[in-house]
Amino acid sequence: LATGPRQNNSIFYEIRTYDIKPSKMKEFVEMVNKYFHIRTAHSELVGFWSAELGAMNKVVHVWKYENFAHRTAVRHALANDKDWQGKFISPVLPLIEKQHNEVAYLVPWCQLGKPPKEGGVYEWVTFQMKPGGPALWGEAFQAAINAHINTGYTKLIGVFHTEYGLLNTVHVIWWNESPDHRAAGRHSAHEDARVVAAVRDSVRFLESQQNMLLIPLQCSPLK
């Protein structure tokens, strides 16, 4: 049921979400900061964040792959990397309660962005859209995203559409200077007739949505 514009190349992104045992979150972050350079030697990390609001004891990290053969080769190399397995995987696995992954593509009208400066916060918004894919809801969704961009209070980092995982899911990553800056911007957007009209058109295709406020870890390229 997913038809419509597709990505122009084979590049995809793996989104990995881990729930960490509440008493082990500090230890997990310390291990990531100490040893994650071993992992990033194998493939490109886009970002690594911990949830501050909207979820607790949760981390999200996003990896870029050229194609599925590239991911297979990386996973094989990691399985045979004794430093990675011994220094990180073995001690960290007992700290994790649950793991979840998705494969997603950037939507055709979006390029991966970067924040204008370090030190801000990220908002991760997940939209569960009606079945039918971008052919059904793509134009209305894009218009709603652009309406928020045009307010100028927030910076779009990326829009991802799932290929593996829960289908018709769209993840949108925004950057803001601070939680208060985001709150003020959202208040203004809710009073902007252009934003209200675009959102009303888009929500016709919406099943549900949720969000998290994320803080980048030390190892995250997106800070």
Side-chain angles (χ1 to χ4, degrees):
L1 295 178
T3 57
R6 301 291 294 177
Q7 69 286 350
N8 296 321
N9 54 49
S10 60
I11 293 173
F12 68 85
Y13 298 83
E14 183 177 7
I15 301 167
R16 299 179 73 92
T17 306
Y18 297 169
D19 290 326
I20 311 301
K21 294 178 180 178
S23 63
K24 301 296 184 180
M25 187 65 181
K26 182 175 182 292
E27 182 180 350
F28 177 86
V29 171
E30 289 174 348
M31 291 291 290
V32 169
N33 287 334
K34 185 175 182 180
Y35 291 116
F36 226 60
H37 64 280
I38 303 173
R39 173 61 184 86
T40 54
H42 288 275
S43 66
E44 182 179 347
L45 175 66
V46 174
F48 200 129
W49 304 269
S50 63
E52 181 73 11
L53 297 172
M56 298 181 68
N57 304 300
K58 188 185 292 289
V59 298
V60 182
H61 39 126
V62 179
W63 299 88
K64 180 180 179 181
Y65 292 103
E66 297 299 321
N67 49 46
F68 288 98
H70 178 211
R71 181 184 183 276
T72 298
V74 169
R75 301 300 296 175
H76 178 77
L78 289 169
N80 290 282
D81 187 324
K82 293 182 179 179
D83 278 348
W84 176 243
Q85 295 295 327
K87 293 179 180 179
F88 186 81
I89 293 296
S90 293
V92 159
L93 281 181
L95 313 181
I96 300 174
E97 286 193 325
K98 185 170 62 175
Q99 295 175 295
H100 174 71
N101 79 330
E102 299 168 282
V103 165
Y105 294 101
L106 279 172
V107 296
W109 45 268
C110 173
Q111 293 183 341
L112 195 61
K114 293 183 178 180
K117 61 182 180 180
E118 294 186 2
V121 296
Y122 292 79
E123 183 183 7
W124 185 289
V125 190
T126 298
F127 299 87
Q128 186 59 43
M129 308 302 291
K130 293 182 182 296
L136 176 66
W137 43 258
E139 290 185 4
F141 189 87
Q142 181 180 356
I145 294 296
N146 286 336
H148 283 86
I149 294 172
N150 292 337
T151 63
Y153 81 89
T154 187
K155 166 71 174 177
L156 180 65
I157 301 299
V159 181
F160 301 88
H161 179 209
T162 55
E163 180 76 7
Y164 286 95
L166 187 58
L167 298 181
N168 294 291
T169 300
V170 184
H171 299 290
V172 182
I173 308 175
W174 301 95
W175 178 91
N176 287 280
E177 291 185 10
S178 69
D180 286 320
H181 185 263
R182 175 201 175 271
R186 290 282 291 175
H187 181 77
S188 298
H190 290 163
E191 297 180 344
D192 189 315
R194 297 165 299 177
V195 175
V196 172
V199 169
R200 282 179 176 171
D201 187 44
S202 179
V203 296
R204 295 182 295 124
F205 308 106
L206 181 66
E207 296 282 4
S208 65
Q209 68 183 92
Q210 61 183 26
N211 69 343
M212 298 183 289
L213 188 74
L214 302 177
I215 306 298
L217 268 63
Q218 180 180 314
C219 67
S220 179
L222 288 174
K223 286 187 168 61

